[in-house]
Amino acid sequence: QLSKRLETAASYVEKGARLADIGSDHAYLPCNLAQKGLIEFGIAGEVVLGPFSSAKKQIAASRLEGTVEARLGNGLEVIESNDRIDTITICGMGGDLIARILDAGFEEGKLDNVKRLILQPNNAEMKLRHWLTDNNFEIMTETILEENSKIYEIIIAEPATEVSKLSSEDYLFGKFLRSEKNAIFVRKWESEIQKYEYILRSLEQSHRDIAEKKAEVLRMIEIIEEEIK
Ligand code: SAM
């Protein structure tokens, strides 16, 4: 049984995909999809030995050695061209790290045959959206979900010859998420406002010259309030 977060990410993997799950930890996501017969082949990529061993154990315990392979390596370097990987999932890491992993892999041609990226950043979604559009990946859809009082965004992107133009608000909030503006989205950004208000109060108590920083935080609060009002 996958967590709601991983289940949602997995639901965007097309039937018959050849999947690389990078930072797979226990390989739950590829094993779950393989057990349901939904992927043709899966790689569980891990850079750390402990999680890599967990992935191997999980694959063996699920008797999926023929379909899912655990590989030890940094980011997309575990992907070989004859794996014919067409889908990549990267979940549960910072958006900055995900962007760096994609960037390094892009340079090495690891994304050349990839048809879909399914990304679940824990933060820095804006940075990731910028990486995607800067590198000709169109954001096809996005979703937001809540599990155990935590809110997660999932971004689905596909290669394109030309990508749609996004506004600064689209980068920050997500074009699809802001157009739907559901209750979870509003909750997320209300809680971001609270974080900025806390920063503001701390700044007001400091003795340094903080006018510029204060203006920046106030501007963020304004932008968010405008978005969710
Ligand atoms: N994807 C799983 C999930 O969402 O539940 C596990 C997330 S876990 C918080 C992040 C995993 O990514 C860790 O197991 C870590 O070892 C792995 N990781 C971090 N940087 C990585 C990299 N550059 N390449 C491959 N794996 C990486």
Side-chain angles (χ1 to χ4, degrees):
Q1 179 79 23
L2 289 180
S3 63
K4 183 172 164 188
R5 174 180 61 83
L6 287 181
E7 181 81 55
T8 309
S11 73
Y12 289 97
V13 176
E14 289 202 321
K15 194 171 188 311
R18 296 184 66 86
L19 171 74
D21 182 42
I22 303 301
S24 197
D25 198 355
H26 290 82
Y28 289 146
L29 188 146
C31 285
N32 182 277
L33 287 170
Q35 258 163 347
K36 293 181 187 154
L38 292 174
I39 53 172
E40 191 179 276
F41 173 66
I43 294 172
E46 253 304 329
V47 74
V48 177
L49 204 50
F52 167 71
S53 308
S54 312
K56 273 179 89 162
K57 279 190 198 135
Q58 182 64 32
I59 294 164
S62 321
R63 300 185 167 277
L64 288 168
E65 286 102 331
T67 319
V68 183
E69 248 178 62
R71 292 194 192 161
L72 187 62
N74 186 6
L76 307 192
E77 78 177 20
V78 296
I79 301 174
E80 302 293 340
S81 64
N82 55 8
D83 295 324
R84 291 180 288 116
I85 293 303
D86 53 32
T87 307
I88 295 178
T89 45
I90 311 181
C91 302
M93 297 182 206
D96 199 35
L97 177 57
I98 296 179
R100 276 187 281 129
I101 287 175
L102 290 173
D103 203 56
F106 189 75
E107 294 292 319
E108 291 164 13
K110 304 285 187 185
L111 294 174
D112 290 356
N113 299 312
V114 168
K115 297 194 173 61
R116 181 173 289 184
L117 300 173
I118 301 161
L119 310 168
Q120 183 265 301
N122 287 337
N123 54 37
E125 292 86 358
M126 180 166 83
K127 195 140 194 195
L128 188 53
R129 289 189 184 98
H130 273 291
W131 187 89
L132 289 168
T133 59
D134 287 351
N135 292 281
N136 275 348
F137 279 90
E138 175 87 14
I139 298 171
M140 308 303 290
T141 191
E142 297 158 311
T143 189
I144 189 163
L145 68 125
E146 190 164 12
E147 184 173 46
N148 302 327
S149 313
K150 283 204 180 127
I151 294 178
Y152 303 100
E153 293 185 12
I154 298 177
I155 301 171
I156 289 75
E158 295 179 0
T161 40
E162 210 181 317
V163 292
S164 315
K165 280 227 169 350
L166 296 182
S167 65
S168 60
E169 288 83 3
D170 291 339
Y171 280 111
L172 177 61
F173 299 103
K175 174 176 148 182
F176 294 89
L177 301 179
R178 65 190 291 249
S179 98
E180 185 187 356
K181 233 178 262 287
N182 69 19
I184 303 172
F185 175 89
V186 173
R187 257 201 311 284
K188 166 176 173 151
W189 289 103
E190 278 170 354
S191 113
E192 289 295 311
I193 290 180
Q194 281 175 6
K195 285 184 205 159
Y196 283 116
E197 281 174 342
Y198 176 81
I199 295 172
L200 206 55
R201 283 197 298 277
S202 325
L203 285 175
E204 275 158 1
Q205 280 160 16
S206 94
H207 299 289
R208 289 175 295 129
D209 180 19
I210 42 103
E212 211 173 295
K213 181 77 191 151
K214 239 179 92 173
E216 207 179 289
V217 176
L218 275 168
R219 177 86 190 109
M220 273 311 290
I221 294 175
E222 252 176 51
I223 291 171
I224 300 171
E225 278 177 343
E226 179 66 27
E227 183 68 25
I228 61 174
K229 72 171 186 220

